[in-house]
Amino acid sequence: MVSAAAKSIIEQMRANMGAPLMTLEEERTGWAEFASKEKILEGTLVSGVSLNEVACEWVEREDSDPQVLLLIHGGGFNSGSPRIHRRFASMMAKASGHRVLVPDYRLSPENPFPAGIDDIVAVYAALV
């Protein structure tokens, strides 16, 4: 059975099917504005690090164990960032008890394929 919330989302999606698509810049700006209003979970520590020349964010808690979850943020390799996914990473850190590493991989079209994947592989190699 479909929930009332899901039905509402489906109705909104159907209503917007003919709407013009946003530009990539509008999409990126919208995500950044949304993320700026989100709060990370209390007790979350965020710090920057570079692994194999790829900027990343550690998202963890004081009592996080040394195991690492590698969070590859969404965005279709053309939008998104660790900042935009920081709240989700903080929730993962709390739920798992592990440290969460979020790479700030290069985005297209500024950095053509496979730049983003190369960055992810480089970060994974540094962790291994």
Side-chain angles (χ1 to χ4, degrees), residues 64-65 67-69 89-100:
S64 290
D65 66 40
Q67 292 191 28
V68 175
L69 294 176
S90 74
M91 295 168 68
M92 287 180 66
K94 182 175 182 179
S96 68
H98 304 321
R99 303 171 76 196
V100 178

Side-chain angles (χ1 to χ4, degrees), residues 53-112:
E53 299 182 20
V54 178
C56 303
E57 278 191 359
W58 279 116
V59 180
E60 57 192 316
R61 304 180 63 76
E62 282 188 16
D63 60 349
S64 290
D65 66 40
Q67 292 191 28
V68 175
L69 294 176
L70 180 59
L71 172 59
I72 309 303
H73 68 75
F77 289 98
N78 67 15
S79 62
S81 70
R83 172 63 191 102
I84 289 170
H85 293 80
R86 195 176 284 162
R87 178 172 169 78
F88 179 61
S90 74
M91 295 168 68
M92 287 180 66
K94 182 175 182 179
S96 68
H98 304 321
R99 303 171 76 196
V100 178
L101 182 68
V102 190
D104 192 11
Y105 59 80
R106 291 174 288 170
L107 302 175
S108 66
E110 299 88 347
N111 302 282

Side-chain angles (χ1 to χ4, degrees), residues 1-126:
M1 174 171 271
V2 178
S3 70
K7 285 180 183 177
S8 174
I9 292 169
I10 291 167
E11 288 172 12
Q12 289 174 8
M13 290 172 67
R14 286 186 175 143
N16 291 325
M17 286 179 69
L21 296 176
M22 288 188 282
T23 66
L24 182 56
E25 189 58 38
E26 290 170 334
E27 181 180 331
R28 288 177 176 176
T29 300
W31 277 113
E33 288 174 4
F34 174 79
S36 71
K37 297 172 187 163
E38 284 198 316
K39 304 286 185 218
I40 61 174
L41 299 184
E42 188 174 327
T44 302
L45 308 170
V46 178
S47 58
V49 65
S50 179
L51 296 177
N52 278 342
E53 299 182 20
V54 178
C56 303
E57 278 191 359
W58 279 116
V59 180
E60 57 192 316
R61 304 180 63 76
E62 282 188 16
D63 60 349
S64 290
D65 66 40
Q67 292 191 28
V68 175
L69 294 176
L70 180 59
L71 172 59
I72 309 303
H73 68 75
F77 289 98
N78 67 15
S79 62
S81 70
R83 172 63 191 102
I84 289 170
H85 293 80
R86 195 176 284 162
R87 178 172 169 78
F88 179 61
S90 74
M91 295 168 68
M92 287 180 66
K94 182 175 182 179
S96 68
H98 304 321
R99 303 171 76 196
V100 178
L101 182 68
V102 190
D104 192 11
Y105 59 80
R106 291 174 288 170
L107 302 175
S108 66
E110 299 88 347
N111 302 282
F113 179 85
I117 293 174
D118 288 344
D119 288 351
I120 293 165
V121 170
V123 168
Y124 180 76

